[in-house]
Each structure stands twice: as C-alpha cells, then as structure tokens.
C-alpha cells in the first residue's frame, strides 16, 4: 500500500474534493455551513480541474435549494452523475425532490454539513435536525464524525449509491466538522478510479432518459396500483446496507482505513454502552478509551449508516455483556416517544429479541438523551456523566446533557473541567479580531505544522455574531496521533491575546494551563505592562505561574507597512515561544507560506510580510517574573448598572462569552426576545471618532443620515435644557426661521461609533481658511471617551423632536426623528443600515417588519444584543424573521392580520357607537391618518376610547379593548436583500406585488449574497466578479423595478442615499403613503464590493452619475392625473462607467485576471446601461391613457373593488 | 523625398511616433496608428507607484474582511491567474508586439531603486524594441537638493543601461536648473535618446467646493516653442538622438521640430482629439510642405535652425526675451 499524501483541509473541502471528482453536474445554492463546498467545486471547475474521467464538472448556481434539487433530479434522469451540497432549511427545500429521486431508484449522493433548523430562533450551527427531517425520503443516510471521515465516507457513499441505486445523503456536523481544519490522508484520483464501479455507471447511463430508447417516468398512479408499485423497490433498500459494507471493505483494503456500518470501541465486556453518530462519537471514543484504561467496563457504538438501518449488523456490534445503553441524539423531536436514533435503536433491539437474534442474557435497558443542539459543546465530562447515569439503578431517560435544565429538570450534571487530553498533545488558544488576521495566520500555522512535520493537527475557530469588530477565538491542537477531541480546548499550554483591549473584556486566561505561556500584544513594554492589567488577569498569571511575554505587534506591523494586519507578527511569536519547530526552520517555513499565499498577487505584499517577520523577534520580550499583585481595578462590568434586569441577568452573561452557563429558566420559551438591548453593549470599536465643530457646521444633517450605526445624532431643543449640560457639551443656535431661538447639537455616541468615517466623507462644510478641517473631523477616541460618554447621555435625555411640529418631513427634518434602530453589529460603513435606520425614524413607532434571512436579519436579530429599539412611549418596530424564501408572504400575512384586526375593531366600534358616544366614535371611524399629526390625534382618540371602554359592560367592549390600537394606522415593511428579492423569494415577492395589498417592500440591494460570502445573485451586475461568477458576470443585472412597473399598480422606486439623500427620504415616504404594494430598491454598498467602505458614499454618487444606478420613482397615481407615472430623479450620465468600476475590487479583479475579457464586459456593461437608460427615458415621457371600462385599469389606485384598505 | 530617420538607433521610415498615452491600451487603436503611418509607438508608462498601490489594495480588499464572520470566511473568489503589476503590462506589451510590425517602445516610471532595476529586464524580455524612462519626480522635499535629484536620475540611467541591451531614451521635464548640463550627463550615462518634454497631470482648484481636481489638458501649439528652444540648444551637442513631445499638432509643427533638431516627433493630444488617422494627415502635410519648399530629406533639414546653426542664435537666448519686451513696449 503506497503512502497516501497528507493534506491539511477542513471537512467541507475534504468532502467536496471527492464529490467534485466523482460528478458531472453539480447544482448549488449557498447556505451556511455548506456554502464552501459549492464554492470550492465552482472554483475548481472554473480553473479547469477535471473529474476522474477527465471532464470538468458543470456547475450551476440556482435560485434556491429547491431549484438545485430539481436540477440534479433532471441531470440524474438524463443519465449524469450529479451532486449537490446543502444544509438546514436548504435541505428541507430539497425534500420533495428527494422523495422523487429515491422513488425512482437513482444513484445520487448529496453532501450535507448538518445544521440546526430554525425553530424559536435561527441558528447557523450544527446538529442533526435537518438530516433527521429527511428520514422518510428513502435516502440512505451515512454519517462522518471527522474531517478524515468526511472525505472517506463521501467516497464510500458515491461508491455505494452506484451499486445500490439508493440515493445517499452523506452528512457531517456543521462547523464542528465542516469548518474544522485537520491533517488527513488524501484520496488520490487513482484511488477513486479503483473504488468506483464503472459497470454501475454504465447501468446508470443505460437507464438515462433518452429519445433513443424512450421510457416514461413520473406517471400518475391510482389506488389500484400505487401501493404495490411503491413496495416494488423493497429489495433495493434491503440490499443497500450490505453493499455499503462491501464498499467499506473495498475501501479499507485499498487505503488501510477500515469502516463498518456500526463500529464498537471500548471494553470487550462492557456493561454500559453509548450509541451515537457524528463528531460527538469522536469525543465519546476518546473518553471511553480513557475510562477503559481506568478499568471501567464501558463502550461505544459509532453509527455510520443510519438508514437503511441494519438491525442484524447493529446487534452483532454490541457486546453481549451490555446491561444498559444510552442512545444520544443531536436533534429534538418534540412530541415523539423519543428522538429518532433512540427510537431506531429501541425498535431494532425489540425486533432482534422477537426474532431470536438477540444474544443478551437479559435485554439491556435503553435510555435516550439529547446533546449538542446548535453546536453546543459535547466534551469528555458529559460522556462520563452519561455513563454515570447508566450506572444508576434506574437511569434517567429522555435526559439532556450539556445544559442546565432547571425547568423540566431533564438535564444530567457533569464536570465541565474534566480534562483527559494526553500531555503529548500541544494546545494553543488565540484571541483575535476578525480584522487582524488571527484566524488566517492560525490556519497557516496548522498547514505548516501539518504538512512539514509528522504532527497531526486540528484547528477549530469560534466567531462571534458581529460583522464589525468581531472577536475570534482559535483552538489549535498538535499531537503525534490523529486528534479526536471534537470540543474546545480545556487547558492550553499557550494562550495568545492579539488585542490589548480584550484584557478588560474577555477572560482570556480562563483556559490557560498552569506553567503555560501567555503572549499579549501590548502597546506597553515588559516593564510597564504589569500595572496595566486588571486584577483578575494578574491573579491568573501569578497563581498559574504563567510565563508572560509581550510584543507591540501594531508597531512592528506599522513599521513593515502592514497597517493593522498583525497576523504575521503574532504567528512568528507563536512559533518562537511554542517550540513546535526550531525557530530558524519555523521562520523559513512562515516565509515560504507567505510566498505561496501572496506571491501571485505581487511581491510588495510578500516583501512587507517578510519585513514584519524579520522585525518580530527583536520586539518580543519576556515580562520579568511578576511577584505581587499591583492592580487597583478589576475587569469592568459587562453592562451599566442601570441596565434592565433581563439584560444584566441574561444578555450580559452572553456578552461575556458565558452563555453556556445560562440555565433553561433564563429563556423565554417561545423565542420572543426583548428589544432595545444593543444600547447596553458598549463595544468601543472606533480608534477615532468624529468631533463636531459647530462654528463651521451648516446643520444639514447629512452625517446623521449616512451613519450606519445611529452613532451620530442631531437634536433641536429649547435653550433652557442646557442649564444642566456637562462642561464639554456643545450647542449652537439652530439656523431656522420657523424655530428661531432653539438650540442645535450634533452629538456622537463615542462607544457605539465604529469609526467608519462615512459621516466625515459626506460632510459638505469645510473651514474656508483650512479646508482640510471640516465640521466633523476624526480624532482619537480614547482621550474623548469619558467626556463624550457623559455628553451623549445628556444628549439622549434632551427631549425628542415633536413630529407634529416638523411639518413635511424632508432630508433634514427626518434626521431629528429618533432612530429606532441603533448600534447594530453590521460592518463598519455598512450600506444597508442607513436605509433601515431612516425607515425607523419615519415609521418605526407603528411599523411591523418582516425580515428575510440574510445580513439584515443577522445584524437585526442575532443575539446577544439587538438594534431595534423603542421610543419613550415604548413604541418601536415589531420585527420578525421567518425564512429566507418566504419573507414577502410572511409580511403579507402581517398585513392581512393587521387589516383584519382593524376591520374587526371598526366593526365593533360601530356596534358600540351608542355607549361610546359621538363625536369620539365618529372621529375615530372617519379619521384621516396621512400625516404624523393625524396619527398622533388618532392615538389620543384611541386612548380616550380605551378609557371609555372600561366603563362599558359588554363582551364587545372587552373585545374592542384588545383591538383598539389597530385603529391607528400601521405600516408593514418587507425587508431583505437581493438574494431574497431577486432569487429565492422572487416567486413570493411577485405574488405579493400582484396581491394589491398595502405592503412596503425594501430591497437592500448589495448585488451579491453578502451574508454567506459574496456569491452572485441575479442582482449582480454585468462585469462583476463574485463567487459562482469568478470570471465576471456575463449577464446584466435583472431589472426588478421594471418587472414590478409592468403590473401598473405597484409603486416602484430606485434609491441611493449616497447619491441623493432627499430622494431616498421622499421615496420611502411615498412608498409608505401609497395605498397598494410598494417596492423600493436601495443601492447598498458592501464589503463584498472590494473597497474601503469609507468611500461608499462616493461610489454611490458614481453609480448614479455614470448611469449604472438610475434613480426614479414610479407612482401609479400619476396616471390618473394625466402625468407619466415614471419620474426619473437622475439625469443623463455625467461620468464614465469605467471610472465607477475601476474603484471596486469586484470589477478590478476581472481586469487583473483577464484584461481582454474585462474590456469586452466593460463595453457590454456600457451598452446595457445606455439601453436601459433609453428605455427609462422613453417611459418617463409616456402618459398612460385612461380608458373607460368596467374593471380596474393601470393607474387605478386600490379602490372599493379591492379588499378593505386603510383610510388616509 | 526621404522622410526616414534614425532614432534611438532604430531606422524609422518617418519621424512620427505615437507618444505614451491611453491610446496604446487598445490593440485596435495601436493597429490604426500603424495603418496611419506611425513609425513607432510608445506604450503608456508602467508606473511602479501604481503597482505598489494596486498590490496593497488588492491584498486589503481580499484580506481585511476574511475569516472574521462564521457565515462568510471570504468574500471573493481567488482567481489563480492574476496579472499584477508588471505582469499585466508585460502581457499587454507582448500582445501589442504580436499585433503590429512597427517598433514598440515601452515606458517606465519607477518609484524605488528596486523598481527602476527590476522591471527593465522584464520589459526587454517581453520584446520591447526600446525603453523610455519617464523621470517624473516632484521635488517637494525641503532637504533634497537639485544635485542629489539629478545624481539619482543619472544613476538610474547608468544602472538600467547596464541591465538591458535595448535602446534607452529618457523623457525629461523642462524643470532642471541646468538642463543642458544634465542632458549631457544623461548622454554620457548611456541614454540613446532624450524626449523633450514630459507633460503632467496638474491639480486645479475648485474655489467653490474647496477641492483639488486632477486634470490633464491636451497640449496646443503654444507649448511647442519651449521645446523648440531646448531642441535647438541641445541639437548637435549630444550623442543621443532627440525627440519632441508636446505641442506638435500639424505637419508644420513637425517640420519646425526637425529644424530645431528633433530626430523624432511624438504626438498625443492631436491624435486623442482627432483619432489615430490624424497621424497620416500630418505625414501628408509634411510631405506636401517639403515638396512645396523643395526639401529632399529630413536628414538635411535637421538642426538647420538649432542654436549652433541658426542665423540668429541670440534669438534663442536672453536677448530674445529683452527684445520681445522692448518690442511690446513700442
């Protein structure tokens, strides 16, 4: 057996590399955590990498997973070898086709990075709830527990499906396996050629649907035949497990890695056995071996092939000595007798006993337990606790392990500190920021160690939920044997903290092993740093006798022109201190890796990295062994003292990274979560913040509008309020004739600002004698923090603007309204959030928001803290996320409910008109609510109504009490990205537009799937490079606005706040006021465009001035007035499209890769732009004739023929 | 009638060269220039500073957001072929060489000693027939003397001369305190030709917005006399051949340049304004003029109005200025 090549890859790559080489057609759609598999397959095909038959697989990104499943189904029918990759909701969308594919006995293998299905909340992390939802499809289900297995089982699944004709779902644990980086033995092309049965492929081809030998599939069968025909395939399912075993034997003979349907590890005469599958089984195996070595009679059955379940094989795997069995499920099936694996095992044991196959002296007791939902840790302490439970006389059944259930008391206690890892495994933990490159450097280190030394390696990376200033924690292991510890490191020999700020925020030494090394990136040198540490950290260093090192990595990086990328510097320190490799050798390898990574992108980056490497060691210092505590302070509390109880009790614990410690009772049982929590998370991300110079400011409020985080705000208020102002609080006379004598303040939220500088970029007010100085300039945050914190608190207490006094809301006045969306975790400089913020300023106190899954649902609803908030009356946006694909329908449902409540309320009010009395009842029923003043008046009337209802003894009055608030106009918004609106949700969106109901749709168009990492959507513009369109998209962006206009009754606007803020504010108000469906498409600059977001506003201007993004408003009501319904808000192109494209990496990368192609695409883009503009220009000159007729025609606003709509 | 010239050791059928400009970015434009009669073409400069910025910004845009969010470890595909810096330029140079038969002169604007030295051999290997060094430098440093700047430039020419065998020209600005002496130094350092003069992007001030706008105005006839004077001053004094660049808009301008001493005539603005075919028309104007005034060859014409040979050398010198002022007063 020749030695296999050892490679360092993650689980996704391991599986995809096999799938790509064994497929001809691959249909894909991005979904976390499986997206990488599709991306890699696409990239390999794009670069001409062939399958084992020498052909390059065809890759097709679809509009949804449903579409991907349909496509592979068709490809399979036509005789191709096909695959797909998915997870979670995506897998659920494939289920209908999976039934078909299995029912037709089609060889097919899909690969699933198993992920939690959204229930009370969405989770991107891993468990088996998605795959278990597919149990009834007829697919075989084969499970991998490690990166090596993800590769090996992928091959076995492809082998077995061809032989058995049963389609396979090969799955592994999302994140834990899909994203774990490990050293594995690679399967070569020759290996795969040896393993795959060509005759089975021939048979598949011969069954292909072809006009040369036509057959019919997909017939409709009736009661007389369906049942029998359904049973006709039984033999194939029955034979499947045997063929899988044959495949495993064949595989083992070739590679030396043996697998079986079920595998037993542990004591040969075990009395207690755990049965489970997936990565948890690796941890269980490690623990079982440790317990056996301690003399315990325990064992583990690892389930590989879950379906078709082989009872015979399972029974033979169990030792006869077993007395009790714990079956662990990584999913929850509420209402069932137990979770799926448990039920399967119970059934198998019972059948075996009934059939006389069982050889146990006494039937073992079986209990079921649940673990690891949403990637919850599953560690050796928990495995021991499960065995301890089994040792009880009457072990607890239906238990949970890994959480503290203080409500239904189902959880088992365990020892969270148990550490059984062998001492010869080196363990290191790194705390970094996303932006500093820590994870990338660690992956690099793993590759170096894995590929250049005999060590086995493992890397696992924990990210927080924020897109800006995200914390990353890397867990790295290196050891002489394959690493099975599928859990976070308990005790690290090496802890590195790459950000000094963390010493006050995170318990970085929590997992530091006694005698270990602590490396801190510190602006303070070895003689100064000690006194700067909080008490807790000093204590940990002293008590654990840590060797303490510091380096000023930012200084080294700066001197090497590396900006904020300290990754190389910290990587050198790690190698220097950990001793994994000799220093000189390590440095040479690091340089080699740098050359390999960056070499093709030019020598400048390589040279700068080299310079950073060369400067590092001279700047690395050991801190003289500290002996005494000198700290006068502890780590500051997570949230302010005045935070609400829930925030202190629950949110703050999650913010501290200790959410695992929260018991079940801490949580609302239905997923409803309090709003207004982001204000308590003071992240202090900005190195510099804007500083206001009131002498120069023209009070235009543009900075307030563009701020993505609502961290710069304006207020107008009575001068008397300044009496209590802090000393450094700034104010100026408000420049307005209508509100003379009032004061104006522009105030920054110093601890919430991300330092993106959009506000400074947009500021038009310059100091004439020194134009470099503007009305707002950036200045270091740290010296300003305390004073500005106090100023901001005072500012927030100043009275909010009186909406009824502001008159018609325009750009400037809109920015005096309180934002009800603040301090989100969106990227610094985000191009989406300013739209949401202004939406909440305009309508937030009466808005329901249905939010499609994507960036906006993540920064909108990802815990621990969320940005939607309330005004002083307690009103604010009511926000919910259903799914990615159904958001339009979800929002429509909200509208229907609100309308039903309002109609019901009006009907009830009319019935109670007598006891309530006029004029109040009449005024409410006839109220016009088309202005803020009208709404305020109606709210007051409803308040009166409620007080009068108290005195009315009637069931109708009780009913009206619950419905009365719906007499005040509500605003329903359907918000999401282009992936939703253009692709996966388009069918629903189209239907909702056609419904003629009063819903407002805001499409945050970043022209790419931003949240999952930049895959193309149908909104991606021609010429842009994106994942799945690496060489630059050939087809123009879909014109969603024009499609919507074709209905005639839909209000449509295209906006770009950076180009024309007033039009943005106007269009949003018109859309909301329009009594039918409205669609607003908003240009949203995005990090996936490949440039510094500080220039987002400049790029928006160029997008509009070059004609790429024309601004318009299409208002059907204009038809009735004899005016053209389409009004263009931007003129003829003034700048070149090339100048717009040249600034963005997504276009530049095409030019760099293939200049000739770029020129062709540029010309095409120019032509398309001109053609579209010409169409708009012609449309904007067309009036639509009004013909007399019976039915509604274009331009008829929704009227009496429509379902009841609100009065305005 | 013989319009042939020898410039940088290259035998050219006529003196008209398309100077460094965006025109050379497109193969079809390059072909049209050749068809119009261009004797050679200078490619747009390879700017080392641009290469540095592009490499760094590409690194930033692909790296700065990666590996920080669980759902998206990267935001961009990673193309395996990536033409960065010199590669892109060299690839274009190769394509131009294949597309046309006329000599192709590459142009380089270095920013660091390394850049000046690393790129010329690559350019030579990619097939350039000659290399024009674009010595563009703004001397904003209060502590850097003119001597030092000139010495560095001369060193660059010496080093490049050692590194490549193809002919070497140097494109100069008029802003040197002792241009004639400096030209002599460059000549001795191994420059085969001097191009007079470079034209620059100039910042313009927008007084309303208080912003600087970078603008490049096309040249016109008014820029020619400065060049004629220095051609005249250098003609016949150097081993290196001379080219005019800036201000030639018709056949008459070209004739004047040759009379002042130019071996070659580079044109950009008029070609950008009127298209590559304008070059053919100018060539026609030259021929017509020479026929009308009975000139047999450019060789006999060159330098007849140089400082050395013109009837009134004082007109090139200070007296010229004084006279003009007096004339104006009268």
């Amino acid at each position: 057996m020749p030695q296999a090549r050892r490679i360092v890859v993650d689980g996704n790559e391991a599986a995809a590399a096999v799938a790509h080489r064994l497929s001809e057609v691959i249909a894909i759609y991005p979904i976390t955590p499986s997206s990488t598999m599709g991306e890699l397959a696409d990239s390999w095909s794009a670069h001409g990498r062939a399958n084992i038959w020498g052909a390059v697989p065809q890759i097709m990104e679809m509009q949804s997973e449903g579409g991907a499943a349909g496509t592979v189904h068709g490809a399979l029918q036509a005789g191709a070898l096909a695959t797909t990759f998915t997870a979670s909701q995506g897998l659920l969308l494939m289920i209908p086709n999976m039934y078909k594919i299995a029912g037709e006995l089609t060889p097919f293998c899909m690969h699933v990075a198993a992920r939690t299905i959204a229930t009370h909340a969405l989770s991107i992390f891993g468990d088996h709830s998605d795959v278990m939802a597919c149990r009834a499809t007829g697919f075989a289900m084969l499970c991998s527990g490690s990166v090596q297995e993800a590769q090996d089982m992928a091959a076995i699944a492809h082998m077995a499906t061809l032989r058995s004709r049963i389609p396979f779902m090969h799955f592994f644990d999302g994140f834990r396996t899909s994203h774990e980086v490990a050293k594995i033995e690679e399967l070569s092309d020759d290996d795969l050629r040896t393993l795959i049965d060509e005759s089975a492929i021939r048979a598949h081809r011969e069954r292909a649907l072809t006009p040369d030998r036509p057959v019919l599939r997909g017939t409709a069968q009736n009661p007389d035949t369906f049942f029998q025909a359904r049973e006709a395939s039984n033999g194939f399912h029955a034979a499947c497990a045997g063929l899988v075993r044959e495949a495993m034997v064949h595989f083992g003979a070739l590679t030396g890695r043996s697998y079986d349907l079920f595998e037993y590890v542990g004591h040969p005469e075990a009395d207690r056995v755990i049965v489970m599958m997936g990565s948890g089984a690796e941890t269980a195996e490690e623990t079982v071996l440790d317990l056996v070595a301690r003399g315990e009679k325990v064992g583990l059955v690892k389930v590989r092939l879950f379906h078709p379940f082989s009872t015979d094989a399972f029974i033979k795997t169990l030792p006869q000595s077993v007395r009790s069995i714990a079956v662990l499920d990584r999913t929850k099936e509420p209402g069932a007798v137990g979770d799926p694996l448990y039920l399967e095992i119970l059934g198998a044991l019972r059948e075996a006993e009934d059939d006389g196959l069982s050889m146990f002296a006494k039937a073992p007791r079986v209990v079921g337990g649940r673990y690891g939902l949403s990637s919850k840790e599953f560690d050796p302490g928990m495995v021991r606790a499960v065995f301890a439970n089994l040792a009880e006389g009457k072990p607890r059944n239906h238990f949970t392990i890994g959480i503290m259930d203080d409500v239904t008391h189902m959880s088992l206690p365990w020892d969270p500190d148990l550490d059984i890892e062998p001492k010869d495994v080196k363990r290191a933990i790194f705390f970094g920021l996303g932006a500093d490159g820590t994870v990338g450097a660690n992956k690099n280190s793993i590759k170096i160690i894995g590929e250049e030394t005999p060590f086995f390696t493992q890397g696992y990376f924990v990210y927080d939920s924020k897109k800006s200033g995200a914390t990353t924690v890397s867990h790295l292991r290196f050891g002489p044997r394959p690493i099975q510890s599928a859990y976070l490191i308990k005790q690290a020999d090496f802890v590195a903290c790459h950000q000094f700020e963390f010493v006050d925020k995170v318990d970085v030494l929590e997992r530091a092993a006694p005698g270990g090394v602590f490396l801190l990136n510190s602006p303070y040198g070895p003689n100064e740093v000690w006194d700067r540490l909080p008490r807790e950290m000093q204590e940990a260093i002293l008590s654990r006798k840590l060797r303490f090192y510091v380096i000023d990595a930012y200084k080294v990086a700066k001197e090497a022109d590396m900006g904020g990328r300290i990754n190389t510097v910290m990587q050198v320190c790690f190698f220097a201190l950990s001793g994994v490799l000799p220093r000189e050798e390590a440095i040479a390898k690091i340089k080699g890796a740098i050359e390999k990574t960056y070499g093709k992108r030019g020598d400048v980056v390589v040279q700068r990295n080299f310079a950073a490497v060369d400067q590092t060691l001279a700047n690395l210092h050991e801190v003289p062994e500290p002996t005494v505590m000198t700290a006068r302070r502890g780590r500051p509390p997570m949230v302010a003292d005045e935070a609400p109880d829930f925030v202190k009790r629950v949110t703050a614990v999650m913010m501290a990274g200790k959410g695992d410690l929260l018991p079940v009772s801490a949580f609302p049982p239905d997923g409803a979560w309090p709003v207004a929590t982001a204000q308590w998370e003071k992240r202090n991300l900005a190195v510099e913040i804007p500083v206001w110079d009131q002498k120069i400011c023209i009070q235009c409020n543009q900075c307030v509008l563009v701020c993505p985080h609502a961290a710069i705000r304006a207020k107008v208020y009575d001068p008397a309020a300044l009496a209590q102002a802090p000393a450094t609080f700034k104010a100026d006379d408000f420049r307005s004739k209508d509100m003379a004598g009032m004061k104006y303040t522009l105030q920054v939220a110093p601890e919430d600002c991300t330092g993106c500088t959009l506000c400074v970029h947009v500021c038009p007010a310059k100091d004439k004698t020194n134009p470099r100085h503007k009305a707002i300039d950036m200045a270091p945050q740290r010296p300003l923090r305390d004073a500005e914190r106090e100023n901001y608190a005072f500012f927030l207490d100043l009275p909010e603007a009186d909406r009824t006094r502001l008159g018609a809301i325009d750009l400037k006045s809109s920015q005096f309204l309180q934002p009800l969306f603040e301090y989100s975790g969106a990227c610094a400089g985000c191009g989406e959030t300013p739209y949401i913020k202004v939406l909440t300023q305009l309508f937030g106190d009466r808005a329901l928001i249905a939010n499609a899954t994507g960036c906006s649902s993540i920064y909108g609803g990802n815990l621990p803290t969320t940005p939607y908030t309330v005004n002083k009356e307690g009103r604010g946006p009511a926000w919910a996320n259903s799914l990615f694909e159904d958001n339009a329908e979800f929002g429509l449902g909200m509208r229907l409910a609100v309308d039903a409540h309002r109609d019901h309320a009006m009907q009830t009010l009319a019935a109670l008109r007598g006891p309530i009395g006029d004029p109040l009842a009449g005024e409410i029923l006839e109220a016009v609510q088309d202005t803020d003043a009208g709404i305020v008046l109606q709210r007051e009337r409803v308040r009166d109504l409620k007080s009068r209802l108290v005195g009315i003894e009637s069931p109708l009055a009780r009913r009206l009490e619950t419905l009365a608030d719906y007499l005040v106009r509500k605003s329903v918004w359907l918000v999401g990205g282009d992936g939703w609106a253009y692709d996966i949700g388009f069918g629903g969106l189209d239907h909702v537009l056609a419904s003629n109901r009063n819903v407002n749709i805001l499409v945050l168009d970043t022209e790419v799937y931003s949240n999952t990492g930049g895959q193309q959507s149908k909104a991606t513009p021609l010429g842009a490079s994106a994942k799945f369109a690496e060489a630059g998209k050939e087809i123009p962006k879909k014109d969603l606005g024009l499609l919507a206009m074709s209905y005639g009754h839909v209000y449509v606007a295209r906006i770009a706040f950076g180009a024309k803020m007033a039009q943005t504010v106007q269009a949003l108000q018109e859309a909301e006021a329009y009594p039918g469906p409205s669609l607003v498409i908003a240009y949203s600059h995005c990090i996936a465009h490949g440039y510094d977001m500080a220039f987002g506003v400049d790029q928006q201007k160029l997008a509009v001035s070059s004609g790429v993004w024309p601004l318009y408003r299409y208002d059907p009501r204009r038809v009735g007035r004899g005016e053209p319904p389409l009004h263009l808000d931007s003129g003829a192109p003034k700048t070149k499209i090339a100048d717009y494209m040249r600034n963005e990496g997504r276009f530049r990368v095409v030019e760099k890769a293939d200049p000739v192609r770029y020129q062709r695409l540029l010309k095409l883009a120019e032509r398309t732009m001109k053609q579209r503009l010409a169409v708009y220009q012609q449309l904007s000159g067309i009036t639509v004739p009004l013909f007399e007729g019976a039915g509604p025609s274009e331009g008829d606003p929704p009227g009496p023929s429509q379902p009841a709509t609100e009065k305005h | 009638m013989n319009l042939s010239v020898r410039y940088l050791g290259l035998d050219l059928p006529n003196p008209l060269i398309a100077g460094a400009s965006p025109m050379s970015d497109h193969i079809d434009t390059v072909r049209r220039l050749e068809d119009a009669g261009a004797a050679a073409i200078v490619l747009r400069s390879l700017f080392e500073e641009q290469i540095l910025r592009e490499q760094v910004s590409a690194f930033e845009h692909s790296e700065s957001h990666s590996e920080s969010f669980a759902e998206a470890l990267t935001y961009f595909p990673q193309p395996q072929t990536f033409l960065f810096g010199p590669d892109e330029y060299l690839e274009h140079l190769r394509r131009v060489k294949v597309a046309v038969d006329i000599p192709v002169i590459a142009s380089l604007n270095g920013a660091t000693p390394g850049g000046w030295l690393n790129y010329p051999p690559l350019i030579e290997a990619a097939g350039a027939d000659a290399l024009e060094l674009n010595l563009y430098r703004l001397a904003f440093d209060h502590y850097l003397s003119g001597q030092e700047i000139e010495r560095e430039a001369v060193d660059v020419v010496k080093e490049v001369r050692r590194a490549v065998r193809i002919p070497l020209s140097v494109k100069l600005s008029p802003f040197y305190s002792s241009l004639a002496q400096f030209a002599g130094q460059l000549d001795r350092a191994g420059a085969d030709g001097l191009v007079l003069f470079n034209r620059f992007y100039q910042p313009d001030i927008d007084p309303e917005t208080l912003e600087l706008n970078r603008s490049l105005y096309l040249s016109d006839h008014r820029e020619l006399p400065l060049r004629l004077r220095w051609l005249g001053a250098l003609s016949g004094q150097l081993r290196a051949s001379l080219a005019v660049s800036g201000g030639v808009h018709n056949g008459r301008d070209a004739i004047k340049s040759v009379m002042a001493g130019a071996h070659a005539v580079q044109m950009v603005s008029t070609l950008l304004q009127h298209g590559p075919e304008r070059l053919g028309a100018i060539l026609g104007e030259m021929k017509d003029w020479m026929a009308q005034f009975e000139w047999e060859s450019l060789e006999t014409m060159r330098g007849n109005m140089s400082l050395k040979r013109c009837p009134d050398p004082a007109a090139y010198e200070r007296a010229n200025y004084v006279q003009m002022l007096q004339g104006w007063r009268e």
Side-chain angles (χ1 to χ4, degrees), chain A residues 32 47 434 439 443 463 470 565 598 601-604 608 766 1010-1011 1027 1030 1087-1088 1090 1148-1149 1152, chain B residues 52 54-56 62-63 65 67-69 71-83 88 209 211:
Chain A
T32 308
H47 297 138
V439 172
K443 286 189 175 173
Y463 307 87
R565 300 291 285 187
Y598 303 120
R601 299 199 226 146
D603 57 341
V604 179
R608 290 184 180 184
K766 291 173 186 156
S1010 301
N1011 193 51
K1027 289 174 184 168
E1030 182 173 322
I1087 57 167
R1148 287 291 277 165
V1149 81
K1152 289 289 157 197
Chain B
L52 295 178
E54 276 186 354
Q55 288 189 10
V56 172
S62 63
E63 295 284 315
H65 296 282
E67 306 279 9
S68 50
F69 182 63
E71 297 210 58
L73 301 187
T74 62
Y75 287 90
F76 290 93
Q78 298 291 327
Q80 288 185 346
T81 52
F82 221 55
L83 293 178
E88 190 178 10
T209 64
E211 277 172 10

Side-chain angles (χ1 to χ4, degrees), chain A residues 356-373:
Chain A
L357 295 172
S358 175
M359 53 286 187
F360 310 112
K362 188 182 168 203
R365 176 184 278 273
V366 184
V367 296
R370 202 158 42 247
Y371 75 103
L373 297 199

Side-chain angles (χ1 to χ4, degrees), chain A residues 587-775:
Chain A
I587 284 171
K589 305 261 191 234
I590 291 171
K591 286 189 172 174
I594 289 167
E595 188 112 46
K596 207 167 149 191
T597 311
Y598 303 120
K600 69 181 173 197
R601 299 199 226 146
D603 57 341
V604 179
V605 175
V606 172
Q607 292 308 327
R608 290 184 180 184
N609 270 288
F610 280 7
V613 170
D614 292 337
Q615 289 309 309
T616 296
L617 291 180
N619 287 278
L620 175 63
H621 305 288
E622 180 157 16
V623 177
E625 198 173 331
T627 47
V628 286
M629 300 266 299
T630 58
R632 298 218 180 108
R633 64 183 179 92
R635 203 174 290 131
M638 266 296 141
V639 294
D641 213 30
E642 55 272 23
D645 174 62
F646 184 86
V647 170
K648 278 198 251 187
R649 208 164 35 79
V650 179
T651 312
V653 179
M654 295 159 78
M655 282 161 58
K658 310 243 179 203
D660 282 326
L661 301 178
L662 289 169
V664 171
S665 64
F667 296 90
D670 59 356
W673 208 259
V675 295
T677 49
Q679 60 180 302
W680 303 109
E681 188 169 20
K682 295 301 174 197
R683 302 202 295 145
N684 285 301
L685 293 180
V687 177
E688 292 187 327
I689 56 172
V691 173
W692 184 43
D693 184 342
Q694 67 269 45
K695 291 193 289 298
I696 301 168
C697 180
I698 57 170
Q699 303 180 354
C700 68
N701 282 357
Q702 292 188 48
C703 54
V704 184
L705 187 137
V706 302
C707 176
H709 290 79
I712 185 163
R713 302 188 184 192
K715 271 187 182 174
V716 170
Y717 51 90
D718 194 287
L722 283 173
Q724 305 299 319
T728 58
F729 188 78
K730 292 181 202 161
D732 199 13
D733 293 336
F734 183 43
R735 295 175 201 168
S736 159
K737 280 185 218 137
D738 300 338
M739 299 171 81
M742 300 288 273
K743 287 286 180 185
Y744 174 95
T745 290
L746 186 72
Q747 176 65 47
V748 66
E751 299 182 292
D752 303 298
C753 173
T754 63
C756 74
T757 72
L758 272 185
C759 54
V760 174
H761 271 253
V762 83
C763 177
K766 291 173 186 156
D767 178 350
K768 285 186 178 155
T769 59
N770 175 19
R772 196 174 294 176
H773 172 48
K774 286 176 151 191

